[in-house]
Amino acid sequence: MMKGKKGEGNWQERLLAWFDGHKRDLPWREDKPRNPYHVWISEIMLQQTRTEAVKPYFNSWMERFPNISALARAKESEVLHQWQGLGYYSRARNIHKAAMEMAETYGGRLPDRKEDILSLPGIGSYTAGAILSMAYGKREGAIDGNVLRVYARLYQVEEDILKSRGRKKIEALVNETLPDRAGDFNEALMDLGADICIPKNPRCSLCPLAEDCAAFRNGKEKELPFRTPKKPPKEEQAACGIWIKEGRVLLHKRPARGMLASMWEFPMALGETEEEARKGLEQLLAGKTEDFLWQYKHVFTHRIWHMKAYPVREGAVPEGEYRWFSPEEYREIPLAGPHARLAAFVEKIVY
DNA sequence: AACTCGGGGGT
DNA sequence: ACCCCAGAGTT
């Protein structure tokens, strides 16, 4: 094991000492001992999502669904509505499924056995480790993006940390170095990754582990961790129909699988070109459209929608999940990403 | 092993 | 304009 030149003990002890004085004050860290339900919900919300974005969602979530049984009793549409705007909506659907499973199988509680936790929908190796170590005090690692970055620098791991070779190397290092206070240790690595060992210009002058860091010693802290660049997003044209009848707009519920699953949208057709998309929309509604009134470029991580919204003149409601909504009604349902913006626009010009 | 799945803030 | 974040599930 690598030892630092100054300070007592190993780097794990130095990290924990730093954490005791610098830990972030976060809503889900308030209860002592930690509430497993709070740990679970916060960990799901934090998947691929920054803490600042999670805070308001976590607080309003706990007001709306204060415990597992309240969540298990809710309808999926209510859960999705509460999640609206956070992204990765399968997380919300999986939370709901898991809560119902806990109500049925585990007496309304979050289980504390690793196999049981891992079997729940939406909980993978990271989240299971986080729950076991933080909520139940077990000696388990929790390897997320922060931990990968910190270890890649500390031990100068040159492999792509998102591929299995690099991951396995770091998993082995975490298992070798994990101390008894695993819950605090895991959170300490995340706080270090969030405040000090940040992706771009790491603040090594403030880092309690600078003396222990191989990348810092070799001047490679800015080059690590290595990751292969992602491919550019696919661009699509999207034609949306604004069809209003007796003060209500026609909306469509997206399928239960795939992107923005089970959320509502304006009738929409995708295409390579603007004309193709618009033609698809007219075909879908068996009607005619007027010049577009609204446009918006919505950027997803792996997809870009160039959206235009056209007023619809007569037509036929397609088969499937279509319904008319007044503004009061569609404020209560989960709207699919950019369609919430379109809904706000429609409300402004029409009502 | 590669792909899918959102949205937002930092630089 | 990128980058990438307290990742998991599917193919």
Side-chain angles (χ1 to χ4, degrees):
Chain A
M1 198 64 42
M2 206 100 53
K3 289 221 173 180
K5 287 170 188 167
K6 65 180 183 184
E8 295 300 317
N10 53 29
W11 67 262
Q12 295 94 314
E13 289 174 32
R14 273 192 290 286
L15 176 62
L16 285 166
W18 172 83
F19 181 64
D20 289 335
H22 294 82
K23 69 174 115 185
R24 290 175 292 172
D25 193 15
L26 301 169
W28 45 91
R29 288 181 177 177
E30 281 173 8
D31 352 86
K32 285 174 276 186
R34 297 283 284 275
N35 180 330
Y37 175 61
H38 291 186
V39 173
W40 169 44
I41 297 300
S42 65
E43 288 304 334
I44 302 294
M45 287 184 169
L46 286 160
Q47 290 169 6
Q48 298 297 105
T49 310
R50 300 183 186 265
T51 58
E52 290 307 316
V54 167
K55 280 181 184 175
Y57 280 87
F58 178 83
N59 289 325
S60 63
W61 181 279
M62 288 306 161
E63 287 181 18
R64 178 70 184 79
F65 308 118
N67 50 52
I68 293 173
S69 60
L71 182 55
R73 284 194 304 269
K75 290 190 298 186
E76 187 185 272
S77 62
E78 297 176 299
V79 177
L80 276 173
H81 185 255
Q82 193 66 28
W83 200 269
Q84 184 178 311
L86 244 198
Y88 287 127
Y89 298 93
S90 65
R91 295 186 292 177
R93 293 154 43 81
N94 284 334
I95 280 178
H96 189 223
K97 285 185 205 157
M100 293 192 289
E101 205 171 315
M102 291 174 206
E104 283 179 26
T105 313
Y106 299 107
R109 279 192 292 275
L110 191 64
D112 62 354
R113 294 175 53 228
K114 189 173 183 177
E115 316 87 84
D116 294 339
I117 293 181
L118 271 174
S119 76
L120 293 166
I123 298 183
S125 60
Y126 163 75
T127 305
I131 291 171
L132 286 165
S133 63
M134 297 171 197
Y136 296 125
K138 307 209 174 190
R139 194 171 165 280
E140 291 281 342
I143 302 176
D144 71 330
N146 287 308
V147 176
L148 290 172
R149 184 171 60 256
V150 171
Y151 271 82
R153 285 174 176 155
L154 262 179
Y155 292 94
Q156 198 171 327
V157 176
E158 311 263 6
E159 288 90 343
D160 185 337
I161 56 168
L162 295 185
K163 297 196 169 175
S164 65
R165 265 242 278 296
R167 278 202 67 98
K168 280 181 183 170
K169 198 160 177 177
I170 291 178
E171 280 170 19
L173 286 168
V174 170
N175 285 332
E176 286 172 25
T177 52
L178 191 66
D180 288 331
R181 284 172 65 190
D184 284 347
F185 180 71
N186 291 331
E187 288 194 300
L189 286 169
M190 294 174 205
D191 282 16
L192 190 77
D195 293 337
I196 308 288
C197 197
I198 53 181
K200 277 217 142 178
N201 296 305
R203 301 168 177 148
C204 302
S205 63
L206 302 175
C207 183
L209 307 183
E211 302 286 338
D212 308 286
C213 183
F216 180 64
R217 280 199 300 273
N218 299 325
K220 287 193 160 188
E221 69 274 11
K222 286 190 178 179
E223 300 168 33
L224 296 177
F226 171 75
R227 53 214 319 173
T228 51
K230 289 170 190 165
K231 61 178 185 181
K234 179 186 299 178
E235 304 207 20
E236 296 174 301
Q237 304 297 321
C240 306
I242 303 175
W243 191 2
I244 300 173
K245 196 182 272 184
E246 296 168 7
R248 295 165 188 264
V249 294
L250 185 66
L251 298 178
H252 167 242
K253 189 180 185 181
R254 296 176 60 87
R257 310 183 69 90
M259 200 168 51
L260 302 167
S262 302
M263 303 186 81
W264 293 82
E265 64 184 359
F266 286 77
M268 183 175 79
L270 297 171
E272 294 280 329
T273 67
E274 203 177 311
E275 296 72 27
E276 185 186 329
R278 185 174 179 177
K279 204 172 289 180
L281 177 66
E282 294 186 333
Q283 196 166 3
L284 173 69
L285 299 176
K288 289 289 179 191
T289 58
E290 300 174 356
D291 292 343
F292 72 89
L293 294 179
W294 175 90
Q295 62 179 327
Y296 182 68
K297 178 183 174 184
H298 189 78
V299 180
F300 300 94
T301 298
H302 59 292
R303 196 168 302 218
I304 297 177
W305 282 353
H306 298 275
M307 305 176 73
K308 281 188 163 66
Y310 306 87
V312 178
R313 277 264 171 261
E314 65 205 44
V317 178
E319 292 300 311
E321 300 251 42
Y322 288 84
R323 270 187 53 192
W324 299 93
F325 288 88
S326 69
E328 293 72 33
E329 290 167 333
Y330 66 62
R331 268 196 286 274
E332 303 297 320
I333 60 173
L335 288 169
H339 291 269
R341 286 177 172 272
L342 177 51
F345 169 76
V346 169
E347 196 169 338
K348 194 180 63 178
I349 62 160
V350 177
Y351 303 101

